[in-house]
Amino acid sequence: MTPDPPPAEAPQGPSGPAGGTPPGGAAPGAPPLVAPAGAPAAPVPATPAHTAAEEVAAAVAPPEQPLPEVPKPGLLKRLLIGNPRDLQDRNIFHRLTLIPFLAWVGLGADGLSSSAYGPAEAFRTLGQHTYLALGLAALTAVTVLVISSAYSLIIEEFPHGGGGYVVATKLLGERVGLVSGCALMVDYVLTITVSVAAAGDAIFSFLPMEWHAFKLPFDVFAICWLTMANLRGMKESILLLTPVFIGFLLTHAVLIGAGIALHLPQAVSVAREAQQGFEGGLSMLGVGGMLLLFVHAYSLGGGTYTGIEAVSNNVNIMREPRVRTAQRTMLYMAVSLAVTAAGLLVCYLLWHVHPTEGKTLNAVLAEQVGGELGLGKWFVIPTLLCECLLLGVAAQAGFMGGPRVLVSMAVDSWLPHRFAALSDRLTSHNGILLMCLASMAALFYTHGNTSALVVMYSINVFLTFALSMYGMARWRWRDRRRAQHRRRRVSLFVGGFLLCATILVVTTIEKFAEGGWLTLVVTGAFIALCFTIRRHYDTVTDQMAKLGEGLMNLPPAHNPATGEPDSRKPVAALLVNSYGGLGIHTLLNIFRTFPGQYKGVLFLSVGVVDSGAFKGEGAIHDLGVETQATLDRYVALARGLGLPAAGRMGVGTDVVAEGEKLCLAVAHDYPRVTFFAGKVIFQREKWYQRVLHNETAASIQQRLQWDGLTMVVLPARVR
């Protein structure tokens, strides 16, 4: 059982086969184990088939006791998180994937909810020049449709998900991909924080001012609740929030529809006022000044477009056919966001909405429309409550998308491999917990100030957008083989790139001193950390390759063994992961360290259901086939060296718990078994090495010792 998933599997060993020291012995009656090429074979003392010591031990052995059971998870955890998923259920992936409507709820809510703060920020930036809101509404709708159309094409080209990180990595190189991935991770953290903070603003808009001191504790509670819901499972959390999403659609359809319909009789006067305002602004600011103001307001309203990429990042959780489901979800989100954001900007203009202390612009608009309809607070409170709760649903997109990006980066060794692990509920629990802690930190740093958070949020969103658009435009232009629609698609990506780059540059310059600098510092520090982690894993991987060079092709014994070990004799059980240098090195070291002790070997392996393996229907079956193939290679190797051998396997999400269960079953069948595993050790162990390597061998050893079983961990050194 190696301490990490590949590629960081095994390092250089201390001595023995890799260093030229031969293995020490072989099973009685079998030829000696063969040492690696170039190493002299050690003499093996002849031993009788049954020694006197073995007969005495068998005679005085106590009666067999039932082995302890693996402890079950606590009741409180099961009440909060739920019971483990059944990995033997062939329809499990189908049960966990999302149809277009549920995907729209879980992922589209991120984009739709940005209408609670994006259009308001843009309208507020216009100041007294509110007549520009009509042009702003039109450009906002166009931008939403352009970006979403571009990402719909990205879904076609990258049907396994990953979004901006995968696009930039494949099309622009690993380092650019890392920048995009880190920006995306900070973006998802701020998705949670800004959504929860904006939800607090919405709900406290209709509460007395003296209650506003409780807004921050409310935000903290909301993040904790969402964390627990996502630890239970993605689909369960979405089903809980679906009524909220529907409520938002209904209340805001009434708000925008009534807001425009009630002012239709005054449409001519409103148009005249806008024309007069435009002429006055033109004489005051000039063409250049007005254009700069318009671009400034458009860019600072960039929060409106955040969340559009969420669907492309999560294609792998869509119901088959994935691409069609994801594109339909993207269409739902684009249309709903374009109509809502543009409609709110028009309503702000029609109703002459102005900022009011302690209230959002949407709250002011809802009060005016509700008063005109004669509904008063009976309309205001449900509308703002649904907006508040939808922002909570939007935070859900951060908990869904963030861990997915963490998984992709962990598989590529930019981040600790443990982020690819799944819980027994088949959720990326480590990533979910990290998102919770990071969003809490951002919340406390900004004291829940939505304006500051939106600035920090928008910079990284549009950095990822711009890189994705540029990468796709460059690739499409160079790909001469697919001429169909080539010009149109290149134009779409170039247009998307120019819009996103404009928003990115203006927002960064204008808001650099108001939080933009912090976003850049945090993202830069995250990138540097990823480079450090990757360098560590590369070092371990290189030493693994050196270790495996002399061990992968061992010459066979003259008389290869057949069959399984005798359960009445001492047997070594070796926990292994993939077939490689560490496993072979540990096998040979067992018989070098304990010559003549063991009469056969069992190989035990756990197929770990992590986010890298759990990608579709039949994934668990394929994982079992792959794990069995690894065991077969080890068994063939051992039998070729003259050792009776067999393999046992299990499949699970927790390698330690499943490994313990597998060892207990083996101990029941082979009472005289001793368990072994290899472990990476470092000359001077640092605290971060425990984070980067999951200590699987030591954890299983501790559990088996409590169960009364013997396990020996043999070291493999990394200098």
Side-chain angles (χ1 to χ4, degrees):
M1 186 67 61
T2 57
D4 289 289
E9 183 195 22
Q12 179 81 24
S15 60
T21 305
L33 284 173
V34 179
V44 183
T47 1
H50 294 283
T51 64
E54 287 178 356
E55 294 176 358
V56 171
V60 300
E64 183 177 335
Q65 299 293 329
L67 290 168
E69 295 183 357
V70 178
K72 296 181 179 179
L75 177 61
L76 180 61
K77 179 181 177 182
R78 290 305 161 215
L79 288 174
L80 295 176
I81 308 301
N83 293 317
R85 304 279 189 188
D86 181 10
L87 295 178
Q88 304 305 317
D89 183 359
R90 291 184 174 272
N91 295 319
I92 188 169
F93 189 82
H94 182 80
R95 297 177 193 277
L96 296 177
T97 50
L98 303 177
I99 60 174
F101 177 75
L102 290 181
W104 182 31
V105 174
L107 299 170
D110 185 14
L112 188 57
S113 68
S114 62
S115 62
Y117 48 81
E121 190 68 25
F123 189 79
R124 195 180 290 115
T125 306
L126 291 175
Q128 61 182 348
H129 304 278
T130 55
Y131 52 85
L132 293 174
L134 289 175
L136 199 59
L139 186 56
T140 296
V142 168
T143 303
V144 170
L145 296 176
V146 168
I147 295 177
S148 59
S149 298
Y151 268 98
S152 186
L153 295 178
I154 288 175
I155 289 170
E156 281 185 15
E157 302 297 340
F158 296 89
H160 297 294
Y165 169 71
V166 173
V167 172
T169 299
K170 299 292 185 184
L171 303 182
L172 300 174
E174 280 193 336
R175 298 195 173 192
V176 178
L178 173 63
V179 172
S180 181
C182 290
L184 203 53
M185 277 309 307
V186 176
D187 164 33
Y188 275 126
V189 168
L190 294 174
T191 294
I192 298 170
T193 312
V194 74
S195 298
V196 169
D201 289 342
I203 201 167
F204 280 86
S205 291
F206 59 83
L207 295 177
M209 285 296 295
E210 55 268 21
W211 287 30
H212 284 218
F214 297 100
K215 178 181 176 298
L216 192 60
F218 170 83
D219 293 345
V220 172
F221 172 79
I223 291 177
C224 293
W225 187 86
L226 284 167
T227 301
M228 186 187 70
N230 279 274
L231 288 173
R232 287 187 66 88
M234 171 191 61
K235 193 168 183 178
E236 285 79 356
S237 60
I238 292 174
L239 290 173
L240 286 173
L241 299 170
T242 298
V244 173
F245 186 82
I246 296 174
F248 176 89
L249 292 177
L250 294 176
T251 55
H252 281 66
V254 173
L255 175 66
I256 295 170
I260 295 175
L262 290 173
H263 274 69
L264 279 180
Q266 294 84 26
V268 176
S269 61
V270 170
R272 189 179 300 114
E273 288 178 11
Q275 183 181 2
Q276 293 173 353
F278 182 81
E279 292 172 353
L282 199 60
S283 61
M284 181 188 307
L285 301 174
V287 176
M290 187 174 292
L291 182 61
L292 286 175
L293 175 63
F294 184 82
V295 171
H296 182 62
Y298 167 72
S299 299
L300 294 188
T304 305
Y305 320 112
T306 55
I308 293 178
E309 85 292 346
V311 177
S312 69
N313 288 338
N314 294 276
V315 179
N316 55 339
I317 64 173
M318 303 291 177
R319 182 72 54 83
E320 296 287 357
R322 290 181 183 177
V323 171
R324 186 182 300 176
T325 301
Q327 289 180 327
R328 189 176 301 172
T329 303
M330 183 68 77
L331 177 63
Y332 294 166
M333 181 176 67
V335 172
S336 58
L337 176 57
V339 170
T340 304
L344 286 172
L345 283 167
V346 172
C347 286
Y348 295 155
L349 173 64
L350 293 177
W351 291 82
H352 303 287
V353 174
H354 297 288
T356 303
E357 184 182 359
K359 294 183 179 180
T360 64
L361 291 189
N362 286 1
V364 176
L365 176 64
E367 288 179 352
Q368 294 182 10
V369 173
E372 190 75 16
L373 292 172
L375 298 176
K377 289 190 177 295
W378 291 104
F379 176 72
V380 175
I381 292 177
T383 300
L384 295 181
L385 188 60
C386 286
E387 184 177 290
C388 162
L389 294 175
L390 183 76
L391 285 159
V393 181
Q396 164 73 15
F399 280 110
M400 292 171 63
R404 296 279 170 183
V405 178
L406 281 172
V407 167
S408 298
M409 296 179 71
V411 169
D412 291 340
S413 294
W414 291 117
L415 290 173
H417 293 151
R418 64 181 67 237
F419 283 115
L422 294 176
S423 70
D424 56 15
R425 294 285 297 175
L426 299 179
T427 62
S428 302
H429 57 296
N430 290 325
I432 291 170
L433 293 174
L434 178 65
M435 301 300 291
C436 171
L437 295 175
S439 59
M440 287 278 198
L443 183 69
F444 283 117
Y445 178 81
T446 59
H447 301 287
N449 186 320
T450 306
S451 297
L453 285 166
V454 168
V455 171
M456 297 168 64
Y457 181 30
S458 300
I459 290 176
N460 274 1
V461 170
F462 286 99
L463 176 58
T464 300
F465 280 1
L467 289 174
S468 297
M469 299 295 169
Y470 173 72
M472 289 296 294
R474 179 169 172 259
W475 176 62
R476 272 291 185 180
W477 179 255
R478 293 181 175 181
D479 188 12
R480 306 279 179 177
R481 293 170 299 175
R482 293 190 290 180
Q484 187 179 14
H485 309 305
R486 177 168 165 265
R487 290 181 179 273
R488 187 169 62 189
R489 294 191 174 191
V490 168
S491 300
L492 177 65
F493 288 121
V494 169
F497 169 73
L498 292 176
L499 290 173
C500 295
T502 300
I503 296 173
L504 173 63
V505 172
V506 173
T507 304
T508 303
I509 294 173
E510 290 291 328
K511 295 296 184 178
F512 183 81
E514 299 178 28
W517 66 271
L518 181 60
T519 303
L520 298 177
V521 168
V522 170
T523 306
F526 192 18
I527 292 170
L529 175 63
C530 290
F531 271 116
T532 303
I533 292 172
R534 178 67 171 268
R535 186 164 51 248
H536 172 84
Y537 280 135
D538 286 346
T539 300
V540 174
T541 303
D542 289 343
Q543 296 210 22
M544 174 200 69
K546 293 177 184 177
L547 177 62
E549 285 174 359
L551 300 177
M552 299 300 289
N553 296 303
L554 294 175
H558 295 296
N559 296 310
T562 58
E564 298 187 358
D566 189 339
S567 62
R568 297 169 298 178
K569 297 178 181 179
V571 173
L574 175 59
L575 285 88
V576 295
N577 188 3
S578 60
Y579 188 83
L582 180 61
I584 302 172
H585 171 80
T586 306
L587 170 66
L588 298 176
N589 265 353
I590 291 173
F591 293 93
R592 178 184 63 84
T593 308
F594 304 98
Q597 174 66 29
Y598 299 107
K599 318 309 177 189
V601 60
L602 295 168
F603 295 98
L604 314 180
S605 185
V606 175
V608 181
V609 183
D610 60 13
S611 298
F614 192 64
K615 290 184 176 178
E617 303 283 357
I620 295 176
H621 174 266
D622 294 342
L623 177 63
V625 171
E626 182 182 342
T627 305
Q628 186 60 53
T630 297
L631 287 175
D632 291 343
R633 292 187 68 184
Y634 274 113
V635 169
L637 171 68
R639 289 180 179 177
L641 295 174
L643 292 166
R648 296 280 187 94
M649 63 166 282
V651 175
T653 57
D654 185 340
V655 65
V656 175
E658 194 65 31
E660 180 190 13
K661 187 189 303 183
L662 184 59
C663 290
L664 290 176
V666 168
H668 181 269
D669 296 336
Y670 293 85
R672 305 184 66 183
V673 67
T674 303
F675 296 96
F676 291 88
K679 177 186 176 183
V680 173
I681 64 168
F682 300 88
Q683 187 172 8
R684 293 177 180 174
E685 190 170 69
K686 307 292 194 306
W687 63 269
Y688 62 82
Q689 290 164 349
R690 291 184 175 272
V691 177
L692 298 179
H693 299 275
N694 53 28
E695 299 292 321
T696 300
S699 300
I700 295 178
Q701 181 187 43
Q702 184 178 21
R703 290 201 182 189
L704 293 184
Q705 287 174 340
W706 178 257
D707 296 331
L709 300 174
T710 301
M711 180 170 175
V712 179
V713 178
L714 297 177
R717 295 187 295 182
V718 171
R719 296 186 182 278

